[in-house]
Amino acid sequence: MNIKKNDTVIVLSGKDKGVKGKVLVAMPSEEKVIVEKVNVATCHTKPRRQGEQGGIIKRETPIRACKVALYCPKCEKGVRVGYKMADGKKVRVCRKCGAEI
């Protein structure tokens, strides 16, 4: 999985198609990511302690990593990822324009 935490991604399919957002959590073992303002679900919570408020909370739920693509700011669209060696380090680059991501 080539998507990491704090990456900017764009959703490729589903009800939130075309939405850009930042990855909040990456779960490589499950091949899922949580993206801000994408796949929002309403959760009805009960108060657990005395004096605590219950209510309806909106939260992001995980989506499959194959449904998002890394966003290239230079190309201004979702792109595939390539790798290059720069100064002895492996760096992710855009396959279209070659810019570092």
Side-chain angles (χ1 to χ4, degrees):
M1 190 166 87
N2 55 22
I3 297 169
K4 298 179 174 133
K5 186 178 176 181
N6 294 326
D7 283 345
T8 303
V9 294
I10 190 164
V11 180
L12 300 174
S13 65
K15 64 181 180 183
D16 295 313
K17 182 178 179 178
V19 176
K20 284 188 290 186
K22 189 173 91 171
V23 175
L24 302 174
V25 179
M27 298 175 260
S29 60
E30 300 171 29
E31 291 284 324
K32 292 188 177 187
V33 292
I34 297 177
V35 183
E36 67 179 353
K37 299 177 187 170
V38 173
N39 202 24
V40 178
T42 55
C43 299
H44 298 260
T45 58
K46 292 174 86 172
R48 296 291 175 201
R49 295 184 200 96
Q50 191 170 0
E52 189 177 284
Q53 283 267 323
I56 300 170
I57 297 172
K58 293 185 182 250
R59 76 168 79 151
E60 292 93 358
T61 55
I63 60 172
R64 303 272 309 264
C66 62
K67 294 189 180 267
V68 296
L70 215 54
Y71 182 78
C72 177
K74 190 173 177 186
C75 297
E76 296 183 351
K77 60 182 174 181
V79 294
R80 292 170 61 198
V81 179
Y83 295 94
K84 279 187 184 175
M85 295 298 287
D87 300 326
K89 292 187 178 181
K90 192 174 176 182
V91 180
R92 293 183 298 170
V93 295
C94 171
R95 281 269 184 97
K96 295 271 185 187
C97 65
E100 281 190 25
I101 298 176

Coordinates of all heavy atoms in Angstrom, one line a residue:
M1 N 0.9 -1.2 0.0 CA 0.0 0.0 0.0 C 0.9 1.2 0.0 O 1.8 1.4 0.8 CB -0.9 0.0 1.2 CG -2.0 1.0 1.2 SD -3.2 0.8 2.4 CE -2.6 1.6 3.8
N2 N 0.7 2.1 -1.0 CA 1.6 3.3 -1.1 C 1.0 4.6 -0.5 O 1.5 5.6 -0.8 CB 1.9 3.5 -2.6 CG 0.7 3.6 -3.5 OD1 -0.4 3.9 -3.0 ND2 0.9 3.3 -4.7
I3 N -0.1 4.4 0.3 CA -0.7 5.6 0.9 C -0.3 5.6 2.4 O -0.5 4.6 3.0 CB -2.2 5.6 0.7 CG1 -2.5 5.7 -0.8 CG2 -2.9 6.7 1.4 CD1 -3.9 5.4 -1.2
K4 N 0.1 6.8 2.8 CA 0.5 6.9 4.2 C -0.3 8.0 4.9 O -1.0 8.8 4.3 CB 2.0 7.3 4.3 CG 2.9 6.2 3.7 CD 4.3 6.6 3.8 CE 5.1 5.4 3.3 NZ 6.2 5.7 2.4
K5 N -0.2 8.1 6.2 CA -0.8 9.1 7.0 C -0.4 10.5 6.6 O 0.8 10.7 6.2 CB -0.5 8.9 8.5 CG -1.2 9.8 9.4 CD -0.8 9.5 10.9 CE -1.5 10.5 11.8 NZ -1.1 10.2 13.2
N6 N -1.3 11.5 6.6 CA -1.1 12.9 6.2 C -0.9 13.1 4.7 O -0.6 14.2 4.2 CB 0.1 13.5 6.9 CG -0.2 13.6 8.4 OD1 -1.3 13.8 8.8 ND2 0.9 13.5 9.2
D7 N -1.1 12.0 3.8 CA -1.1 12.2 2.4 C -2.4 12.8 2.0 O -3.4 12.6 2.6 CB -0.9 10.9 1.7 CG 0.5 10.3 1.7 OD1 1.4 11.1 2.0 OD2 0.7 9.1 1.4
T8 N -2.3 13.6 0.9 CA -3.6 14.1 0.3 C -4.0 13.1 -0.8 O -3.2 12.8 -1.7 CB -3.3 15.5 -0.3 OG1 -2.8 16.4 0.7 CG2 -4.6 16.1 -0.9
V9 N -5.2 12.7 -0.8 CA -5.7 11.7 -1.7 C -7.0 12.2 -2.3 O -7.7 13.2 -1.8 CB -6.0 10.3 -1.1 CG1 -4.7 9.7 -0.6 CG2 -7.0 10.4 0.1
I10 N -7.4 11.6 -3.4 CA -8.7 11.9 -4.1 C -9.5 10.6 -4.2 O -8.9 9.5 -4.5 CB -8.5 12.6 -5.5 CG1 -9.8 13.1 -6.0 CG2 -7.8 11.7 -6.4 CD1 -9.6 14.1 -7.1
V11 N -10.8 10.6 -4.0 CA -11.6 9.4 -4.0 C -12.0 9.1 -5.5 O -12.4 10.0 -6.2 CB -12.9 9.6 -3.2 CG1 -13.7 8.4 -3.2 CG2 -12.5 10.0 -1.7
L12 N -11.8 7.9 -5.9 CA -12.0 7.5 -7.3 C -13.4 6.9 -7.5 O -13.9 7.1 -8.7 CB -11.0 6.4 -7.7 CG -9.5 6.8 -7.6 CD1 -8.7 5.5 -7.9 CD2 -9.2 7.9 -8.5
S13 N -14.1 6.3 -6.5 CA -15.4 5.8 -6.8 C -16.2 5.8 -5.5 O -15.7 6.0 -4.4 CB -15.3 4.3 -7.3 OG -14.7 3.5 -6.3
G14 N -17.5 5.7 -5.7 CA -18.4 5.7 -4.5 C -19.2 7.0 -4.4 O -19.1 7.8 -5.3
K15 N -19.9 7.1 -3.3 CA -20.7 8.3 -3.1 C -19.9 9.6 -3.0 O -20.4 10.7 -3.2 CB -21.7 8.1 -1.9 CG -20.9 8.0 -0.6 CD -21.9 7.8 0.5 CE -21.1 7.7 1.8 NZ -22.0 7.4 3.0
D16 N -18.7 9.5 -2.6 CA -17.8 10.7 -2.4 C -16.8 10.9 -3.5 O -15.7 11.4 -3.3 CB -17.1 10.6 -1.0 CG -18.0 10.6 0.2 OD1 -18.9 11.5 0.2 OD2 -17.9 9.8 1.1
K17 N -17.1 10.4 -4.7 CA -16.2 10.4 -5.8 C -15.8 11.9 -6.1 O -16.6 12.8 -6.2 CB -16.9 9.8 -7.1 CG -16.0 9.8 -8.3 CD -16.7 9.2 -9.4 CE -15.8 9.2 -10.7 NZ -16.5 8.5 -11.8
G18 N -14.5 12.1 -6.3 CA -13.9 13.4 -6.6 C -13.6 14.2 -5.4 O -13.0 15.3 -5.6
V19 N -13.8 13.8 -4.2 CA -13.5 14.6 -3.0 C -12.0 14.4 -2.6 O -11.5 13.3 -2.6 CB -14.4 14.1 -1.8 CG1 -14.1 14.9 -0.6 CG2 -15.9 14.3 -2.2
K20 N -11.4 15.5 -2.4 CA -10.0 15.5 -1.9 C -10.0 15.6 -0.4 O -10.8 16.2 0.2 CB -9.2 16.7 -2.4 CG -8.8 16.6 -3.9 CD -7.9 17.7 -4.2 CE -8.6 19.0 -4.3 NZ -7.9 20.1 -4.8
G21 N -9.0 14.9 0.2 CA -8.9 14.9 1.7 C -7.6 14.4 2.2 O -6.8 13.8 1.4
K22 N -7.3 14.6 3.4 CA -6.1 14.2 4.1 C -6.3 12.8 4.7 O -7.4 12.6 5.4 CB -5.6 15.2 5.1 CG -4.3 15.0 5.6 CD -3.8 16.1 6.5 CE -4.2 15.8 7.9 NZ -3.7 16.7 8.9
V23 N -5.4 11.9 4.6 CA -5.5 10.6 5.3 C -5.2 10.8 6.8 O -4.2 11.3 7.2 CB -4.5 9.6 4.7 CG1 -4.5 8.3 5.4 CG2 -4.8 9.4 3.2
L24 N -6.2 10.4 7.6 CA -6.1 10.5 9.0 C -5.4 9.3 9.6 O -4.6 9.4 10.5 CB -7.5 10.7 9.7 CG -8.2 12.0 9.2 CD1 -9.6 12.0 9.8 CD2 -7.5 13.2 9.5
V25 N -5.8 8.1 9.1 CA -5.3 6.8 9.6 C -5.1 5.9 8.4 O -6.0 5.8 7.5 CB -6.3 6.2 10.6 CG1 -5.8 4.8 11.0 CG2 -6.6 7.1 11.8
A26 N -4.0 5.2 8.3 CA -3.7 4.2 7.3 C -3.6 2.9 8.0 O -2.9 2.7 9.0 CB -2.4 4.5 6.5
M27 N -4.4 1.9 7.5 CA -4.3 0.5 8.1 C -3.8 -0.4 7.0 O -4.6 -1.0 6.3 CB -5.7 0.2 8.5 CG -6.3 1.1 9.6 SD -8.0 0.7 10.0 CE -8.8 1.9 9.0
P28 N -2.5 -0.6 6.8 CA -2.0 -1.4 5.8 C -2.3 -2.9 5.9 O -2.5 -3.6 4.9 CB -0.5 -1.2 5.9 CG -0.2 -0.4 7.0 CD -1.5 0.1 7.6
S29 N -2.5 -3.4 7.1 CA -2.9 -4.8 7.3 C -4.2 -5.1 6.8 O -4.5 -6.2 6.3 CB -2.8 -5.2 8.8 OG -3.7 -4.4 9.5
E30 N -5.1 -4.1 6.8 CA -6.5 -4.3 6.3 C -6.7 -3.7 4.9 O -7.8 -3.8 4.4 CB -7.5 -3.7 7.3 CG -7.5 -4.3 8.7 CD -8.3 -3.5 9.7 OE1 -9.3 -2.9 9.2 OE2 -8.0 -3.5 10.9
E31 N -5.7 -3.0 4.4 CA -5.8 -2.3 3.1 C -6.9 -1.3 3.1 O -7.6 -1.1 2.2 CB -6.0 -3.3 2.0 CG -4.8 -4.2 1.7 CD -3.7 -3.5 0.9 OE1 -4.0 -2.6 0.1 OE2 -2.5 -3.8 1.2
K32 N -7.0 -0.5 4.2 CA -8.0 0.5 4.4 C -7.4 1.8 4.9 O -6.3 1.8 5.5 CB -9.1 0.1 5.3 CG -9.9 -1.1 4.8 CD -11.1 -1.4 5.7 CE -11.9 -2.5 5.1 NZ -13.2 -2.7 5.8
V33 N -8.1 2.9 4.6 CA -7.7 4.3 5.0 C -8.9 5.0 5.5 O -10.0 4.7 5.1 CB -7.0 5.1 3.9 CG1 -5.6 4.5 3.5 CG2 -7.9 5.2 2.7
I34 N -8.6 6.0 6.4 CA -9.7 6.9 6.9 C -9.3 8.3 6.4 O -8.2 8.7 6.7 CB -9.8 6.9 8.4 CG1 -10.3 5.5 8.9 CG2 -10.8 7.9 8.9 CD1 -10.4 5.4 10.4
V35 N -10.2 8.9 5.6 CA -9.9 10.1 5.0 C -10.9 11.2 5.6 O -12.1 10.9 5.7 CB -10.1 10.1 3.4 CG1 -9.8 11.4 2.8 CG2 -9.2 9.0 2.8
E36 N -10.4 12.4 5.8 CA -11.3 13.4 6.4 C -12.4 13.8 5.5 O -12.2 14.0 4.3 CB -10.5 14.6 6.9 CG -9.8 15.4 5.8 CD -9.1 16.6 6.3 OE1 -9.1 16.9 7.5 OE2 -8.4 17.3 5.5
K37 N -13.6 14.0 6.0 CA -14.8 14.4 5.3 C -15.2 13.4 4.2 O -15.9 13.8 3.3 CB -14.6 15.8 4.7 CG -14.4 16.8 5.8 CD -14.1 18.2 5.1 CE -13.7 19.2 6.2 NZ -13.3 20.4 5.6
V38 N -14.8 12.1 4.3 CA -15.2 11.1 3.3 C -15.8 9.9 4.1 O -15.3 9.5 5.1 CB -14.0 10.6 2.5 CG1 -14.3 9.5 1.6 CG2 -13.4 11.8 1.7
N39 N -16.9 9.3 3.6 CA -17.6 8.2 4.1 C -18.0 8.5 5.6 O -17.7 7.7 6.5 CB -16.7 6.9 4.0 CG -17.5 5.7 4.1 OD1 -18.7 5.7 3.8 ND2 -16.8 4.6 4.5
V40 N -18.7 9.6 5.8 CA -19.1 10.0 7.1 C -20.4 9.2 7.5 O -21.3 9.1 6.8 CB -19.4 11.5 7.1 CG1 -19.9 12.0 8.5 CG2 -18.1 12.3 6.8
A41 N -20.3 8.7 8.7 CA -21.5 7.9 9.3 C -21.9 8.6 10.6 O -21.1 9.2 11.3 CB -21.1 6.5 9.6
T42 N -23.2 8.5 10.8 CA -23.7 9.1 12.1 C -23.8 8.0 13.1 O -24.4 6.9 12.8 CB -25.1 9.7 11.9 OG1 -26.0 8.8 11.3 CG2 -25.1 10.9 11.0
C43 N -23.3 8.2 14.3 CA -23.3 7.2 15.3 C -24.1 7.8 16.5 O -23.9 8.9 17.0 CB -21.9 7.0 15.8 SG -20.8 6.3 14.5
H44 N -25.1 7.0 17.0 CA -25.9 7.4 18.1 C -25.2 6.8 19.4 O -25.0 5.6 19.5 CB -27.3 6.8 18.0 CG -28.0 7.3 16.8 ND1 -28.9 8.3 16.9 CD2 -27.9 7.0 15.5 CE1 -29.4 8.5 15.7 NE2 -28.8 7.8 14.8
T45 N -24.8 7.7 20.3 CA -24.0 7.3 21.4 C -24.8 7.6 22.7 O -25.6 8.6 22.8 CB -22.7 8.1 21.6 OG1 -23.0 9.5 21.6 CG2 -21.8 7.8 20.4
K46 N -24.7 6.7 23.7 CA -25.3 6.8 25.0 C -24.3 7.4 25.9 O -23.1 7.2 25.8 CB -25.8 5.4 25.5 CG -26.9 4.8 24.7 CD -27.2 3.4 25.2 CE -28.1 3.4 26.3 NZ -28.6 2.1 26.7
P47 N -24.8 8.1 26.9 CA -23.9 8.6 27.9 C -23.3 7.5 28.8 O -24.1 6.6 29.2 CB -24.7 9.6 28.8 CG -26.1 9.2 28.5 CD -26.2 8.6 27.1
R48 N -22.0 7.4 28.9 CA -21.4 6.3 29.6 C -21.2 6.6 31.1 O -21.2 5.7 31.9 CB -20.1 5.9 29.0 CG -20.2 5.4 27.6 CD -20.9 4.1 27.6 NE -21.1 3.6 26.2 CZ -22.0 2.7 25.9 NH1 -22.7 2.2 26.8 NH2 -22.1 2.4 24.6
R49 N -21.0 7.8 31.5 CA -20.8 8.2 32.9 C -21.9 9.2 33.3 O -22.5 9.9 32.4 CB -19.4 8.9 33.0 CG -18.3 7.9 32.8 CD -16.9 8.6 33.0 NE -15.9 7.9 32.4 CZ -15.4 8.3 31.2 NH1 -15.8 9.3 30.5 NH2 -14.4 7.6 30.6
Q50 N -22.0 9.4 34.5 CA -23.0 10.3 35.0 C -22.6 11.8 34.7 O -21.4 12.1 34.8 CB -23.1 10.2 36.5 CG -24.3 11.0 37.1 CD -24.6 10.7 38.5 OE1 -23.9 9.9 39.1 NE2 -25.6 11.3 39.1
G51 N -23.5 12.5 34.1 CA -23.2 13.9 33.7 C -22.7 14.0 32.3 O -22.5 15.1 31.7
E52 N -22.4 12.9 31.6 CA -21.9 12.9 30.2 C -23.0 13.0 29.3 O -24.1 12.5 29.5 CB -21.1 11.6 30.0 CG -20.4 11.6 28.6 CD -19.5 10.4 28.5 OE1 -18.5 10.3 29.1 OE2 -20.0 9.5 27.7
Q53 N -22.8 13.7 28.2 CA -23.9 13.9 27.2 C -23.9 12.8 26.2 O -22.8 12.3 25.7 CB -23.6 15.2 26.4 CG -24.0 16.5 27.2 CD -25.4 16.9 26.9 OE1 -25.9 16.8 25.8 NE2 -26.1 17.3 27.9
G54 N -25.1 12.3 25.8 CA -25.2 11.4 24.7 C -25.6 12.2 23.5 O -25.9 13.4 23.5
G55 N -25.8 11.6 22.3 CA -26.3 12.3 21.2 C -25.8 11.6 19.9 O -25.3 10.5 19.8
I56 N -26.0 12.4 18.8 CA -25.6 11.9 17.5 C -24.3 12.5 17.1 O -24.2 13.7 17.0 CB -26.7 12.3 16.5 CG1 -28.0 11.6 16.9 CG2 -26.3 11.8 15.1 CD1 -29.2 12.1 16.1
I57 N -23.3 11.7 16.8 CA -22.0 12.1 16.4 C -21.7 11.7 15.0 O -22.0 10.5 14.6 CB -20.9 11.5 17.4 CG1 -21.2 12.0 18.8 CG2 -19.5 11.9 16.9 CD1 -20.3 11.4 19.8
K58 N -21.1 12.6 14.2 CA -20.7 12.2 12.8 C -19.2 11.9 12.8 O -18.4 12.6 13.4 CB -21.0 13.3 11.8 CG -22.4 13.6 11.6 CD -22.6 14.6 10.6 CE -24.1 14.9 10.4 NZ -24.7 14.4 9.2
R59 N -18.8 10.7 12.3 CA -17.4 10.3 12.2 C -17.1 9.6 10.9 O -18.0 9.0 10.3 CB -17.0 9.5 13.4 CG -17.5 8.0 13.3 CD -16.8 7.2 14.4 NE -17.5 7.4 15.7 CZ -17.5 6.5 16.6 NH1 -17.0 5.3 16.4 NH2 -18.1 6.8 17.8
E60 N -15.8 9.8 10.5 CA -15.3 9.1 9.3 C -15.1 7.6 9.5 O -14.6 7.3 10.6 CB -14.0 9.8 8.8 CG -14.2 11.2 8.3 CD -13.9 12.2 9.4 OE1 -13.6 11.8 10.6 OE2 -13.9 13.4 9.1
T61 N -15.5 6.8 8.5 CA -15.3 5.4 8.6 C -14.3 5.0 7.5 O -14.1 5.7 6.6 CB -16.6 4.7 8.5 OG1 -17.3 5.0 7.3 CG2 -17.6 5.0 9.6
P62 N -13.7 3.8 7.7 CA -12.7 3.4 6.8 C -13.2 3.1 5.4 O -14.4 2.6 5.2 CB -12.1 2.1 7.4 CG -12.5 2.1 8.8 CD -13.7 2.9 8.9
I63 N -12.4 3.3 4.3 CA -12.7 2.9 3.0 C -11.5 2.1 2.4 O -10.4 2.2 3.0 CB -13.1 4.1 2.1 CG1 -11.9 5.1 2.0 CG2 -14.3 4.8 2.5 CD1 -12.1 6.2 0.9
R64 N -11.8 1.3 1.4 CA -10.7 0.5 0.8 C -9.7 1.5 0.2 O -10.0 2.5 -0.5 CB -11.3 -0.4 -0.3 CG -12.4 -1.3 0.2 CD -11.9 -2.6 0.7 NE -11.0 -3.3 -0.1 CZ -11.3 -4.2 -1.0 NH1 -12.5 -4.6 -1.1 NH2 -10.4 -4.8 -1.8
A65 N -8.4 1.1 0.3 CA -7.3 1.9 -0.2 C -7.3 1.9 -1.7 O -6.8 2.8 -2.4 CB -6.0 1.4 0.3
C66 N -7.9 0.9 -2.4 CA -7.9 0.9 -3.8 C -8.9 1.9 -4.4 O -8.9 2.2 -5.6 CB -8.3 -0.6 -4.3 SG -9.9 -1.1 -3.8
K67 N -9.8 2.4 -3.6 CA -10.7 3.4 -4.1 C -10.2 4.9 -4.0 O -11.0 5.8 -4.3 CB -12.0 3.3 -3.3 CG -12.7 2.0 -3.5 CD -14.1 1.9 -2.9 CE -14.8 0.6 -3.2 NZ -15.6 0.7 -4.4
V68 N -9.0 5.1 -3.5 CA -8.4 6.4 -3.5 C -7.1 6.4 -4.2 O -6.4 5.4 -4.4 CB -8.2 6.9 -2.0 CG1 -9.5 7.0 -1.3 CG2 -7.2 6.0 -1.3
A69 N -6.7 7.6 -4.7 CA -5.4 7.7 -5.4 C -4.7 8.9 -4.8 O -5.3 9.9 -4.4 CB -5.6 7.9 -6.9
L70 N -3.4 8.8 -4.8 CA -2.5 9.9 -4.3 C -2.7 11.1 -5.2 O -2.8 11.0 -6.4 CB -1.1 9.5 -4.3 CG -0.2 10.0 -3.2 CD1 -0.8 9.7 -1.8 CD2 1.2 9.4 -3.3
Y71 N -2.9 12.3 -4.6 CA -3.2 13.6 -5.3 C -1.8 14.3 -5.6 O -1.1 14.5 -4.7 CB -4.1 14.5 -4.5 CG -4.5 15.7 -5.3 CD1 -5.4 15.7 -6.3 CD2 -3.9 16.9 -4.9 CE1 -5.8 16.9 -6.9 CE2 -4.2 18.1 -5.6 CZ -5.2 18.1 -6.6 OH -5.5 19.2 -7.2
C72 N -1.6 14.6 -6.9 CA -0.4 15.3 -7.3 C -0.8 16.8 -7.5 O -1.6 17.1 -8.3 CB 0.2 14.8 -8.6 SG 1.6 15.7 -9.2
P73 N -0.2 17.7 -6.7 CA -0.6 19.1 -6.8 C -0.1 19.8 -8.1 O -0.7 20.7 -8.6 CB 0.2 19.8 -5.6 CG 1.2 18.8 -5.2 CD 0.8 17.5 -5.6
K74 N 0.9 19.2 -8.7 CA 1.4 19.7 -10.0 C 0.4 19.4 -11.2 O 0.1 20.2 -12.0 CB 2.8 19.3 -10.3 CG 3.5 19.9 -11.5 CD 4.9 19.5 -11.6 CE 5.6 20.2 -12.8 NZ 6.9 19.7 -13.0
C75 N 0.0 18.1 -11.2 CA -0.9 17.6 -12.2 C -2.4 18.0 -11.9 O -3.2 18.0 -12.8 CB -0.8 16.1 -12.3 SG 0.7 15.4 -12.9
E76 N -2.6 18.2 -10.6 CA -4.0 18.5 -10.1 C -5.0 17.4 -10.3 O -6.1 17.6 -10.7 CB -4.5 19.9 -10.6 CG -3.7 21.0 -10.2 CD -4.2 22.4 -10.7 OE1 -5.2 22.4 -11.5 OE2 -3.7 23.4 -10.2
K77 N -4.5 16.2 -10.1 CA -5.4 15.0 -10.2 C -4.8 13.8 -9.5 O -3.6 13.9 -9.1 CB -5.7 14.7 -11.7 CG -4.5 14.3 -12.5 CD -4.9 14.0 -14.0 CE -3.7 13.9 -14.9 NZ -4.1 13.6 -16.2
G78 N -5.5 12.8 -9.4 CA -5.0 11.6 -8.8 C -4.1 10.8 -9.7 O -4.4 10.7 -10.9
V79 N -3.0 10.4 -9.2 CA -2.0 9.7 -10.0 C -1.4 8.4 -9.4 O -1.6 8.2 -8.2 CB -0.7 10.7 -10.3 CG1 -1.1 11.9 -11.1 CG2 -0.1 11.1 -8.9
R80 N -0.8 7.6 -10.2 CA -0.1 6.4 -9.7 C 1.3 6.9 -9.2 O 1.8 7.9 -9.6 CB 0.0 5.4 -10.8 CG -1.3 4.9 -11.2 CD -1.3 4.0 -12.5 NE -0.4 2.9 -12.3 CZ 0.1 2.2 -13.3 NH1 -0.2 2.6 -14.6 NH2 0.9 1.2 -13.1
V81 N 1.8 6.0 -8.4 CA 3.1 6.4 -7.7 C 4.3 5.6 -8.3 O 4.1 4.4 -8.5 CB 3.0 6.1 -6.2 CG1 4.2 6.4 -5.5 CG2 1.8 6.9 -5.6
G82 N 5.4 6.3 -8.5 CA 6.6 5.6 -8.8 C 7.6 5.9 -7.7 O 7.4 6.7 -6.9
Y83 N 8.8 5.3 -7.8 CA 9.8 5.5 -6.8 C 11.1 5.8 -7.5 O 11.5 5.3 -8.5 CB 10.0 4.3 -5.9 CG 8.8 3.9 -5.1 CD1 7.8 3.1 -5.6 CD2 8.6 4.6 -3.9 CE1 6.7 2.8 -4.8 CE2 7.4 4.3 -3.1 CZ 6.5 3.4 -3.6 OH 5.4 3.1 -2.9
K84 N 11.9 6.7 -6.8 CA 13.2 7.1 -7.3 C 14.2 7.1 -6.1 O 13.7 7.3 -5.0 CB 13.3 8.5 -7.9 CG 12.8 8.6 -9.4 CD 13.0 9.9 -9.9 CE 12.4 10.1 -11.3 NZ 12.5 11.4 -11.8
M85 N 15.4 7.0 -6.4 CA 16.4 7.1 -5.3 C 17.0 8.5 -5.4 O 17.5 8.9 -6.4 CB 17.6 6.1 -5.5 CG 17.1 4.7 -5.3 SD 16.5 4.3 -3.7 CE 18.0 4.3 -2.7
A86 N 16.9 9.3 -4.3 CA 17.4 10.6 -4.2 C 18.2 10.8 -3.0 O 17.7 10.6 -1.9 CB 16.3 11.7 -4.3
D87 N 19.5 11.1 -3.1 CA 20.4 11.2 -1.9 C 20.4 10.0 -1.1 O 20.4 10.0 0.2 CB 20.0 12.4 -1.1 CG 20.1 13.7 -1.9 OD1 21.0 13.8 -2.8 OD2 19.3 14.6 -1.6
G88 N 20.4 8.8 -1.7 CA 20.4 7.6 -0.9 C 19.1 7.2 -0.3 O 19.0 6.2 0.5
K89 N 18.0 7.9 -0.5 CA 16.7 7.6 0.1 C 15.7 7.3 -1.0 O 15.8 7.9 -2.1 CB 16.2 8.8 0.9 CG 17.0 9.1 2.1 CD 16.4 10.1 3.0 CE 17.1 10.4 4.2 NZ 16.5 11.4 5.1
K90 N 14.8 6.5 -0.7 CA 13.7 6.1 -1.7 C 12.6 7.2 -1.6 O 12.1 7.4 -0.5 CB 13.2 4.7 -1.3 CG 12.3 4.1 -2.3 CD 11.9 2.7 -1.9 CE 11.0 2.0 -2.8 NZ 10.6 0.7 -2.3
V91 N 12.3 7.8 -2.7 CA 11.3 8.9 -2.7 C 10.2 8.6 -3.6 O 10.4 8.0 -4.7 CB 12.0 10.2 -3.2 CG1 11.0 11.4 -3.2 CG2 13.2 10.5 -2.3
R92 N 8.9 8.9 -3.2 CA 7.8 8.7 -4.1 C 7.7 9.8 -5.1 O 7.8 11.0 -4.7 CB 6.5 8.6 -3.2 CG 6.4 7.4 -2.3 CD 5.2 7.3 -1.6 NE 5.0 8.5 -0.7 CZ 3.9 8.8 0.0 NH1 2.8 8.0 -0.1 NH2 3.8 9.8 0.7
V93 N 7.4 9.5 -6.3 CA 7.2 10.5 -7.4 C 5.9 10.2 -8.2 O 5.5 9.1 -8.2 CB 8.4 10.5 -8.3 CG1 9.7 11.0 -7.6 CG2 8.7 9.2 -9.0
C94 N 5.5 11.2 -8.9 CA 4.3 11.1 -9.7 C 4.7 10.4 -11.0 O 5.7 10.8 -11.6 CB 3.8 12.5 -10.0 SG 2.5 12.6 -11.3
R95 N 3.9 9.5 -11.5 CA 4.3 8.8 -12.7 C 4.0 9.6 -13.9 O 4.7 9.4 -15.0 CB 3.4 7.5 -12.8 CG 3.8 6.4 -12.0 CD 4.8 5.5 -12.8 NE 5.1 4.3 -12.0 CZ 4.6 3.1 -12.2 NH1 3.6 3.0 -13.0 NH2 5.0 2.1 -11.5
K96 N 3.1 10.6 -13.9 CA 2.8 11.5 -15.0 C 3.9 12.5 -15.2 O 4.4 12.7 -16.3 CB 1.5 12.2 -14.8 CG 0.3 11.3 -14.8 CD -0.2 11.0 -16.1 CE -1.5 10.2 -16.1 NZ -2.0 9.8 -17.3
C97 N 4.2 13.3 -14.2 CA 5.1 14.5 -14.4 C 6.4 14.3 -13.7 O 7.3 15.1 -14.0 CB 4.4 15.8 -13.8 SG 4.1 15.7 -12.1
G98 N 6.6 13.3 -12.9 CA 7.9 13.1 -12.2 C 8.2 13.9 -11.0 O 9.2 13.9 -10.5
A99 N 7.2 14.7 -10.5 CA 7.3 15.5 -9.4 C 7.3 14.7 -8.1 O 6.6 13.7 -8.0 CB 6.3 16.6 -9.3
E100 N 8.1 15.1 -7.1 CA 8.1 14.4 -5.8 C 6.8 14.7 -5.1 O 6.2 15.7 -5.1 CB 9.2 14.9 -4.9 CG 10.6 14.3 -5.3 CD 11.6 14.6 -4.2 OE1 11.3 14.9 -3.1 OE2 12.8 14.6 -4.6
I101 N 6.3 13.6 -4.5 CA 5.0 13.7 -3.7 C 5.3 13.7 -2.2 O 6.1 12.9 -1.8 CB 4.1 12.6 -4.1 CG1 3.7 12.7 -5.6 CG2 2.8 12.6 -3.3 CD1 2.9 11.6 -6.1

